[in-house]
Amino acid sequence: MDALRPVPRTLLRDRAYLAIRDAIVSGEIEAGAVVRDGELAARLGLSRAPVRDAFARLVDEGLLESKPQSYTRVTPVVAADVRDAAAVVGAMHELAVRTAVPRLSAADLDGMRAANERFAEAVGAGDVDAALRADDALHDVLVRVGGNRAAAATVARYTPLIRRLERRRFGEGGNCRSAGLHERLIAACADGDVTGAVRVTAEIWRGLVDLADPDRPRPREQP
């Protein structure tokens, strides 16, 4: 993967942000690495201005940290930060599901099924990038149909923090059972079962909270 390649000179701030964010999430730019606007601007074929704007946004989102007149560097993967992000993102997905399920079309459900097929194939092949893209595509259907812009913005802002840890766990040989959970989610959505879909969504995101902090005591399940 080579996220840091020249980008078209349109929407330069956004394109610089996405390229640098993806390079951080993928590990192409490693945790703790010092980043310099001039170097990245040259690699992306841009001026420094959009790269600096991207840096400011990434600092705000927790992927970079900056000390004025000293350095800007990639933040470490901190379990507590990932756990907090997963809890917030999970809550937003639950909100999206409540609104989306009654609105889903047959085409939306087909899109979710196709995404889950790609996800299962990618997990089986050990293709982390493809697995995460397919996972995003599946859940993005519900976020899009839910139509809550604040929820969508929150998901977009904090999901990259979670993806960094997921990639690390995959790389360490971690297993993923989400394909089965996705099947249950899709079935609940197809049945118009809002409560069931929310329950499965909560289970999916609780698993990511546990991934971030496996030693954290788990609350007892309610009967």
Side-chain angles (χ1 to χ4, degrees):
M1 180 175 181
D2 185 11
L4 295 174
R5 57 185 182 274
V7 298
R9 302 188 69 83
T10 57
L11 302 174
L12 297 184
R13 289 182 299 180
D14 291 340
R15 297 299 295 271
Y17 161 77
L18 290 172
I20 298 168
R21 184 201 67 184
D22 290 350
I24 292 171
V25 171
S26 71
E28 184 178 341
I29 304 177
E30 297 180 350
V34 173
V35 292
R36 297 178 175 83
D37 55 6
E39 292 178 3
L40 291 185
R43 292 179 67 179
L44 294 169
L46 300 173
S47 67
R48 291 189 178 191
V51 173
R52 288 172 179 165
D53 288 339
F55 279 8
R57 185 171 172 184
L58 291 163
V59 167
D60 186 53
E61 294 180 359
L63 291 175
L64 292 178
E65 57 187 4
S66 181
K67 183 177 180 181
Q69 308 302 321
S70 182
Y71 62 79
T72 299
R73 66 188 177 196
V74 179
T75 57
V77 179
V78 178
D81 292 343
V82 177
R83 181 190 64 220
D84 292 346
V88 170
V89 172
M92 294 300 99
H93 277 287
E94 289 180 41
L95 176 63
V97 166
R98 291 183 191 278
T99 308
V101 169
R103 303 177 179 176
L104 289 169
S105 67
D108 293 326
L109 291 167
D110 287 343
M112 293 174 69
R113 293 187 184 102
N116 197 36
E117 290 176 4
R118 297 195 302 273
F119 177 85
E121 291 174 1
V123 171
D127 188 339
V128 180
D129 292 321
L132 295 181
R133 285 195 301 270
D135 185 69
D136 283 339
L138 188 155
H139 292 287
D140 283 350
V141 172
L142 293 162
V143 173
R144 173 181 55 78
V145 174
N148 187 315
R149 292 185 180 180
T154 302
V155 168
R157 174 170 179 166
Y158 290 108
T159 296
L161 287 172
I162 303 165
R163 290 311 193 209
R164 292 175 74 195
L165 183 66
E166 285 185 283
R167 287 186 59 85
R168 176 180 292 183
R169 292 291 187 261
F170 271 119
E172 293 170 352
N175 295 321
C176 182
R177 60 189 180 94
S178 291
L181 288 173
H182 288 162
E183 290 176 0
R184 288 169 49 199
L185 173 61
I186 294 167
C189 290
D191 290 341
D193 181 0
V194 174
T195 300
V198 170
R199 185 183 301 116
V200 178
T201 299
E203 186 175 349
I204 290 170
W205 287 93
R206 185 165 59 247
L208 291 174
V209 171
D210 292 340
L211 181 71
D213 194 358
D215 297 325
R216 180 180 61 90
R218 298 185 185 182
R220 291 185 177 181
E221 295 287 344
Q222 296 297 319

